[in-house]
Amino acid sequence: MKRLLPLFALFAFAACGDGPEVSSPRTQLADKWLTRAKASFRSGDVEDATQAIDGALKTAPKDPETHLLAAKIALSRLDFDTAIKQTEGIETSEAKGVRGRAFWYAGDIERAADELDDMLRDPNVKDPWARDVAKLARRGQGRHPFAIEGGVVAAVEMPPGGPILVVPCELEGERILALVATNFGEVMIDSSFRKEPAWVNLRFGERFEVKDVPALTYDLSNLSRQLGGQIKALLGVNVLRHMHTTIDRHG
């Protein structure tokens, strides 16, 4: 599970709103559990963080800070229902950000937009990911994100790239080169190709098509220069998990 952390850690946001409405003093034991959970989570040890936060919740079941950290840990484990449940009744900007992300990655784009828009009303919050995703979510009503059509499976030959995984595919009917980028959550399209976040279609192989993929923009010009070829998109973790991607490095 450790490799899942970058999906959410990359989009960390600054949220400095009012404290939770409900608070309870933590015991010394609860503080020890919470401190251990924080340290393990920061180091990427999600398994130990999960164990420690369970101990903290048992000893301080009404503590908002403990519930918020439990939600973040659940989010990193892709346990979206638990992340939402752990933030119920906590109306800080930080809690809304976690809840909005959980709704987004769970596919509930309307509630994701509500939470993220609400969070962004806080003048102390600066979160470009949430800003762009909220716009996409508002435009996405009626869509079915990551709808797969055509073939059930597709095999794509990747050109040699050393440790870099280069994937030939089609973006909106145009043949492009993309990179697998597990340190990004979303598909990122070169900003010279698209100026605004958009819902796009991707095709792999002859018949495997993924429709209504949320895509943000990113300047890929430096990356293209380094690789000596034009890279027009990064394939983030969100689309990879929906496609159930398998990478055969040896092959």
Side-chain angles (χ1 to χ4, degrees):
M1 286 294 182
K2 293 180 183 179
R3 285 182 291 177
L4 296 178
L5 272 174
L7 170 61
F8 304 103
L10 178 70
F11 302 114
F13 52 90
C16 306
D18 296 333
E21 294 178 2
V22 180
S23 62
S24 61
R26 288 191 299 269
T27 64
Q28 187 176 16
L29 178 60
D31 268 331
K32 287 182 178 180
W33 278 120
L34 185 60
T35 298
R36 173 178 157 185
K38 288 178 178 178
S40 295
F41 190 53
R42 279 196 300 267
S43 67
D45 189 347
V46 179
E47 183 176 350
D48 187 71
T50 301
Q51 182 180 346
I53 203 63
D54 285 345
L57 287 168
K58 289 176 183 176
T59 51
K62 296 184 179 180
D63 180 54
E65 184 180 358
T66 301
H67 280 280
L68 185 55
L69 181 58
K72 292 178 181 178
I73 294 170
L75 190 60
S76 75
R77 297 174 60 241
L78 308 185
D79 185 354
F80 308 123
D81 289 342
T82 297
I84 293 165
K85 183 178 180 180
Q86 291 292 350
T87 58
E88 287 179 354
I90 306 176
E91 296 302 321
T92 62
S93 296
E94 192 171 10
K96 291 170 185 175
V98 173
R99 205 158 45 233
R101 281 164 166 78
F103 281 130
W104 174 254
Y105 288 114
D108 192 338
I109 59 177
E110 186 172 346
R111 283 198 282 183
D114 290 341
E115 294 289 347
L116 295 175
D117 278 340
D118 203 13
M119 179 194 71
L120 291 168
R121 293 188 184 97
D122 183 345
N124 293 313
V125 171
K126 184 179 180 181
D127 190 339
W129 178 91
R131 178 198 63 213
D132 290 344
V133 165
K135 289 179 183 178
L136 273 182
R138 292 300 182 199
R139 300 172 192 159
Q141 292 186 8
R143 293 181 181 270
H144 300 283
F146 304 101
I148 294 176
E149 297 184 1
V152 177
V153 66
V156 179
E157 292 288 337
M158 296 185 292
I164 297 173
L165 301 177
V166 182
V167 182
C169 61
E170 289 185 19
L171 171 63
E172 296 292 284
E174 178 184 351
R175 293 186 179 274
I176 67 163
L177 293 178
L179 292 188
V180 172
T182 56
N183 58 324
F184 283 85
E186 313 302 335
V187 168
M188 310 298 290
I189 297 178
D190 186 11
S191 54
S192 66
F193 183 69
R194 275 189 182 272
K195 301 301 182 184
E196 293 287 335
W199 295 90
V200 301
N201 299 328
L202 294 170
R203 183 189 294 271
F204 300 87
E206 293 298 323
R207 297 176 57 242
F208 189 89
E209 187 167 8
V210 190
K211 290 183 172 290
D212 287 339
V213 177
L216 308 183
T217 59
Y218 196 78
D219 184 359
L220 300 178
S221 57
N222 286 336
L223 182 60
S224 294
R225 282 194 292 270
Q226 291 171 15
L227 298 179
Q230 189 170 25
I231 303 298
K232 286 197 173 181
L234 303 179
L235 304 178
V237 175
N238 205 10
V239 71
L240 295 175
R241 71 183 180 89
H242 278 91
M243 294 192 301
H244 304 287
T245 303
T246 299
I247 298 171
D248 181 7
R249 281 184 174 273
H250 181 71

